[in-house]
Structures are given as C-alpha cells and as structure tokens.
Amino acid sequence: MSAGNEAILVIEDEPDIQELIRFNLLKEGYQVRLCRTGEEGLTAARSQPPRLILLDLMLPGMDGLEVCRLLKQDTSTNAIPVIMVTARTEEVDMVTGLEIGADDYVNKPFSPKVLAAKIRAMLRRRNGEPVHDTPPLTVHKLEIHPGRFEVKANGETVDLSLTEFRILHFLARSPGWVFTRYQIVSGVRGDDIVVTDRSVDVHIVGLRRKLGEFGRYIETVRGVGYRFREQP
Ligand code: CA
C-alpha cells in the first residue's frame, strides 16, 4: 500500500534524530513536517492536523507530556494518533504518556524499520482497515462501532485512544471470558504494533476512567487478567 500524502508531524528538538526520522519517513513516502518545540508543534497540529504525530518527550520549554495532554484535550486534535519517542530512562514518563492518551511509543535508539512499521500499522488501524467489515456491537448499553472507532455509553460518545478502543472491543466481544494480558496484547496488536503486558494495565486504567460508570464492566481477574462483565 502506498503511503502517499500522509503528512506526519515530528516534534523533536535533536537535529540528528530529526534527520534520521525525516530521512526514513520520506523514503517510506510520507510527507514530513518538523517542529523543534512543543509550542510550535501544537500550533502546527491545530492549524493543519496531520495524520499522525511523533512526539519526543524531552523538549526545551513545554515537555512532551504536556504537549500530549493538550493535544488529547483539544477536540480539533484529539483524534490524531500520537507515538511518543522516549529514552529508556524515561519509562515513568512513557507510562504517564499512555495514561494521558498517547497511542504508542518507541524507545530511543529505535530502528527506523520498527518506527516505519508502527506508523504504517497505526495509520491502517486509523483507516479502519483491519476492522472494516466488523459490525457494531452493543453490550450493556455500550455501543462499539469498529468501523468508525466510536464508542457510546448510554448514548454519549466516549473519546478513547486507538489502543484503548481495540482493547475494549476485544474484551467486549466475549463477555464473561477471561483474557490474560498476553492474549489481549496478541488480540489488539496490528502488524508490528507493540503493546506490552505492562501497557495493557495502563490502557485499562485509562479505559475505565473514560468509561465512567461503565468502567466497572471491565473486571480485573486477580492473577489472570481481565474480562468484560457478563451481567450488566
Ligand atoms: Ca529531546
């Protein structure tokens, strides 16, 4: 599949990494827009929303977590997938980033191939391809529309990240069934998308919070994993 005309916004202050990312994304056929600071990145994302944002966490001025928080709070930008670029020493920040709505992350130093695969998979999911023919699902007054990546709880739209959406859809398809973290990871990943066991927990926390009173339908089964409640 050609990736033509897919503008990706890269918010990264280190020239070497900017260059590495740009070179590899251009080679893959993406358009690339570069910003050096969070402030510039936010302005760029709002004025011309890209298909995806690569966000470095350590930035001069406003840090990446704050940028992510603002992107996910703003209705004009909250649907844009965000992949965080982190150093391994920033693991705590990475978990926080996932909690506030980032969709995935890559650790520095990263392989350009892995990065490209993650972007491709994320955009394919965004385009609805793997779930194209999957019909909407209604469980306990929770409506899940895979084709539209939309969830309504009691008729109200709930804003979820792509990964949260996939996890909810995965669990809700089989109410009462218990899944291990590993099964959830395998069930929601697309191509080379990496959802780690640990980030499953983080996504579940975010999912429950966003679902409000419907969050209790996602039950923790101690020592095993998670299940979607069978009875409302
Ligand atoms: Ca940096």
Side-chain angles (χ1 to χ4, degrees), residues 12-14 56-60 108:
E12 166 68 67
D13 60 310
E14 288 155 70
D56 182 28
L57 286 191
M58 293 281 275
L59 293 166
K108 291 182 203 174

Side-chain angles (χ1 to χ4, degrees), residues 142-144 149-153 156-158 160 165 168 211:
L142 199 60
E143 297 162 55
I144 304 168
F149 284 101
E150 190 179 82
V151 172
K152 286 187 175 174
E156 299 276 321
T157 301
V158 183
L160 298 179
F165 181 91
L168 175 65
L211 288 172

Side-chain angles (χ1 to χ4, degrees), residues 11-14 17 21 53-59 63-65 68 82-100 102-111 115 118 196:
I11 309 176
E12 166 68 67
D13 60 310
E14 288 155 70
I17 298 180
I21 291 176
I53 296 173
L54 278 181
L55 175 62
D56 182 28
L57 286 191
M58 293 281 275
L59 293 166
D63 73 17
L65 285 178
C68 184
V82 174
I83 299 181
M84 294 181 290
V85 181
T86 67
R88 288 187 195 283
T89 49
E90 297 162 1
E91 195 184 12
V92 173
D93 290 344
M94 178 270 283
V95 170
T96 310
L98 293 172
E99 276 175 342
I100 60 181
D103 296 277
D104 204 349
Y105 61 91
V106 286
N107 277 316
K108 291 182 203 174
F110 52 83
S111 128
L115 179 65
K118 282 187 174 229
T196 62

Side-chain angles (χ1 to χ4, degrees), residues 5-58:
N5 296 323
E6 303 270 19
I8 295 181
L9 176 62
V10 179
I11 309 176
E12 166 68 67
D13 60 310
E14 288 155 70
D16 291 356
I17 298 180
Q18 267 192 356
E19 231 6 83
L20 175 72
I21 291 176
R22 179 161 72 169
F23 175 77
N24 283 285
L25 295 189
L26 288 175
K27 211 170 60 177
E28 294 284 324
Y30 298 106
Q31 293 173 11
V32 180
R33 286 150 63 196
L34 292 172
C35 288
R36 283 196 60 255
T37 66
E39 289 85 347
E40 278 173 40
L42 278 174
T43 306
R46 285 169 179 155
S47 65
Q48 215 183 339
R51 295 298 311 278
L52 184 141
I53 296 173
L54 278 181
L55 175 62
D56 182 28
L57 286 191
M58 293 281 275

